[in-house]
Amino acid sequence: MDYDVIILGGGLVGCAVAYELSKYNLNIALIEKDYDIADDISFINTAIVQDGLQGTNDLIAKLQIIGNNMLGDLCDKFGVPFNRTGSLIIAEDDDQETKLKEIYNRAIKRGVSGVEFIDENNVKELEPNLKCDIKKAIYSKNTAVICPYDLALAYAEIAFDNGVNFRLEEEVLDIQKSTLGLKVATNKNKFTCKVVVNTTPYETDDIESVVMEKPIDKITYCMMEKDDSRNFNHIVYNAKNKNSSGFHAVPFGNDGVILAVRNEESLELNDVTEYISNFIDNVDISEFSNIFKEDIHKELIMIDDSDFDKRGYIKVTGNNFSEVTVAPAIANMICETITNNLNCTEKKDFIDKRREFYRFKDLSNEERNEIIKIDPRYANIVCLCSLVTEAEIIDSIRRPLGARTVEGVKRRTGVTLGNCQGAYCLSRIISILARETNKKLTDIVKDSKNSKVIRNRVKEFDEM
Ligand SMILES: Cc1cc2nc3c(=O)[nH]c(=O)nc-3n(C[C@H](O)[C@H](O)[C@H](O)COP(=O)(O)OP(=O)(O)OC[C@H]3O[C@@H](n4cnc5c(N)ncnc54)[C@H](O)[C@@H]3O)c2cc1C
C-alpha cells in the first residue's frame, strides 16, 4: 500500500482535509493537477464568511454557523486576514420588506445569533454612503470577510510541514476499486491506498457520478479601488426577490470594494453599472479595476461517504456560494469518519503553526527597520502600488509549497494587484522567480504550462 489516504484536488476543501488528517499517524498524499494549490479559488470569490442567514438549505446553514465560529479562531492562529465586518440586508420597498421578514424568521428558527431589525436612520449611521431609500434592514454582526486563498495556503503549508506529500502537476486519470483497497492512476504514476477523498469534479464509471445542474443565475463582479466617499463598512445586500436583480457589496479595507450584480440573464456591463448606481453615487465603468462574470448554481454540497465501509471512498461535490465558510466543518466531518474507521492515533509531534512571514505594508516604521536589519532585501520595494518588498517575494518562493509561477507570487504577496496591474513590477518579479528557481527568464510561466510570460528573446544579449 503506497498511502493510507489519497486526497484528490488541492482546492480549499482538499487542503482543509489534508490539514485535519495530518494531525494523525497516517501516510497521506494530495494530488493536484495544477502548478499550485487552490488555483481554482482564484479571485472569483467574494470572500464572505456566511453566518447561516442566507440560503434556503437548513443543513448548509448549520454548517455555515459551525464554519463561521471555527474560522475566527483558525485565521487568528494561521495569521490569515479575517475581518468581522457584519452585514446588512436592506429592503427598499414593501415586497422586499416581506422578504426581509421571511429571512429574519428563518434565521431565528436556525438559531443564528447576533441578528436584529434596524430602521433607515440606523442604516445611514452604519453606511453613510449608501444612496438608496431604505424601509428596513437586517443587521447581522457575525458575517466576515476573509482571504480564502491565504486560508487554503495556511492549511496546506501546515499539512506539508506535518508530512503530507503534495503531488502538484499530476492529473488523476482513473480511480478503481481493488482487493487491496483503491487504485489511483495519474498521468505520472499508479498508487494504491486504503482511502480516497475526492474533492475534484472528476468522476469514473466505477465511482457513481453526480450530475451538476444548470446554473440558476449569472453574477457580475466589479472591483473598485478604495474611495472614502463611496466606501462601505459592512457587507451590504439588497433583499432580492424573484423579479428583481440582486446587489451586494463586499468591503476589503484599503484594497477597495467588490460590487456584485446577480440576475437570471447575463447583463451588459452598462446595465450592471446602472444598477450599481442605485446604491452608490457617480459610478462609472472606467472606475472598475477588474470585472468578471460567474454562474450561480443551486446550493449543492454533497459529502458522499455511503460507500466508505465497502470501498473507502468519500466524494465531496459542490458548487456553493458558501463553500469557503463550510470547508472547516466539512474537513472535520471527513477526518472523523476516516480516523474512527482506521483506528488512527494522534501525532505527538504535530506542529500546529505556520512558518512566520512579514507583510511589509502592514508593519509600523519601527518594525520595518527591525526586519530590514535582519534582511536588507526588505528595504527593496518591488511592487510600489501594494508596497511589496523583494524579501517577501523571495520568501513566497522559498516557503513550504512555495510559488513557482507569477500568479503564485501574486496570490501569496499581493504584487500586481494595485493600480498599475504589474506594468511597473512584472519584469522584476519574473527576474526574481527565475533567479530563485534557477530557471531561464523565458521558462517562467504565468500560471500553467502553456502560459509563458516572455515568449522569446528578440536579440541575443549576453544577459537579459
Ligand atoms: C463566483 C464565486 C464566488 C464565491 N464566493 C464565496 C464566498 O463569498 N464565500 C464562500 O464561503 N464561498 C464562496 N464561493 C465558493 C468557494 O470559493 C468554492 O466553492 C470553493 O473554493 C471550492 O473549493 P473546492 O476545494 O471544493 O473546489 P476547487 O477549488 O474547485 O478544487 C478542486 C481542485 O481539484 C483540482 N482537480 C480537478 N480535476 C483534477 C484531476 N483530474 N486531478 C487532479 N486534480 C484535479 C483542481 O485543479 C482544483 O484545484 C464562491 C464561489 C464562486 C464560484
Side-chain angles (χ1 to χ4, degrees), residues 94-160:
D94 289 343
D95 271 2
Q96 291 192 346
E97 196 177 342
T98 312
K99 174 87 188 173
L100 218 58
K101 282 181 189 149
E102 272 172 35
I103 297 174
Y104 183 80
N105 291 338
R106 195 173 64 197
I108 299 303
K109 259 199 212 146
R110 287 174 179 172
V112 180
S113 62
V115 180
E116 59 178 308
F117 262 119
I118 57 173
D119 59 24
E120 177 158 22
N121 288 340
N122 299 126
V123 174
K124 292 282 161 163
E125 261 172 46
L126 294 172
E127 289 300 345
N129 296 326
L130 194 59
K131 190 178 139 191
C132 57
D133 291 333
I134 288 148
K135 291 205 77 168
K136 270 265 178 278
I138 294 177
Y139 170 68
S140 176
K141 71 169 192 194
N142 286 326
T143 328
V145 179
I146 195 175
C147 177
Y149 181 70
D150 211 24
L151 175 67
L153 208 55
Y155 271 138
E157 286 182 1
I158 299 176
F160 177 91

Side-chain angles (χ1 to χ4, degrees), residues 288-328:
F288 300 145
S289 56
N290 232 323
I291 298 161
F292 41 90
K293 289 184 184 240
E294 261 297 320
D295 291 338
I296 297 279
H297 290 264
K298 260 195 173 161
E299 298 166 45
L300 172 77
I301 299 180
M302 216 175 88
I303 308 161
D304 184 0
D305 60 2
S306 54
D307 245 4
F308 189 80
D309 289 344
K310 267 195 272 162
R311 316 203 226 198
Y313 182 79
I314 301 177
K315 169 84 184 158
V316 184
T317 320
N319 210 329
N320 188 274
F321 68 97
S322 67
E323 216 170 327
V324 172
T325 313
V326 300

Side-chain angles (χ1 to χ4, degrees), residues 8-14 31-34 38-41 44-50 170-172 199-202 219 221 294-295 319-326:
L8 312 183
L12 179 62
V13 174
I31 305 177
E32 165 57 51
K33 70 175 170 44
D34 286 338
D39 233 11
D40 278 19
I41 295 181
I44 50 147
N45 194 295
T46 27
I48 302 171
V49 178
Q50 303 286 349
E170 192 159 341
E171 184 166 359
V172 177
T199 74
T200 74
Y202 183 79
I219 190 159
Y221 295 101
E294 261 297 320
D295 291 338
N319 210 329
N320 188 274
F321 68 97
S322 67
E323 216 170 327
V324 172
T325 313
V326 300

Side-chain angles (χ1 to χ4, degrees), residues 305-425:
D305 60 2
S306 54
D307 245 4
F308 189 80
D309 289 344
K310 267 195 272 162
R311 316 203 226 198
Y313 182 79
I314 301 177
K315 169 84 184 158
V316 184
T317 320
N319 210 329
N320 188 274
F321 68 97
S322 67
E323 216 170 327
V324 172
T325 313
V326 300
I330 292 180
N332 265 6
M333 284 159 61
I334 292 175
C335 179
E336 214 178 292
T337 305
I338 294 172
T339 51
N340 286 344
N341 274 278
L342 298 186
N343 288 327
C344 299
T345 52
E346 283 186 42
K347 270 184 197 151
K348 289 204 173 85
D349 54 355
F350 176 71
I351 305 158
D352 200 3
K353 199 173 177 298
R354 198 176 177 189
R355 289 190 209 174
E356 229 166 43
F357 60 93
Y358 302 104
R359 290 191 174 98
F360 189 80
K361 74 168 178 181
D362 297 336
L363 299 178
S364 66
N365 278 345
E366 288 76 31
E367 289 167 327
R368 286 173 180 172
N369 286 333
E370 293 259 310
I371 57 167
I372 289 169
K373 266 191 229 151
I374 300 167
D375 185 344
R377 289 171 299 188
Y378 278 106
N380 188 6
I381 309 275
V382 174
C383 172
L384 290 178
C385 304
S386 307
L387 220 61
V388 181
T389 63
E390 183 184 357
E392 286 167 275
I393 296 173
I394 294 171
D395 178 63
S396 78
I397 299 165
R398 292 187 183 173
R399 292 180 71 72
L401 291 171
R404 290 286 167 276
T405 62
V406 174
E407 196 66 22
V409 174
K410 174 175 168 178
R411 286 155 182 247
R412 285 166 177 81
T413 63
V415 285
T416 79
L417 286 176
N419 263 337
C420 90
Q421 300 274 303
Y424 170 79
C425 59

Side-chain angles (χ1 to χ4, degrees), residues 129 224-232 256-257 287:
N129 296 326
M224 208 163 77
E225 299 287 316
K226 188 176 179 227
D227 168 353
D228 284 339
S229 67
R230 290 177 301 168
N231 205 21
F232 286 96
V257 62
E287 290 178 285

Side-chain angles (χ1 to χ4, degrees), residues 61-75:
K62 202 169 160 189
L63 289 176
Q64 285 176 12
I65 297 172
I66 301 171
N68 183 304
N69 279 330
M70 291 173 74
L71 279 170
D73 295 340
L74 281 168
C75 291

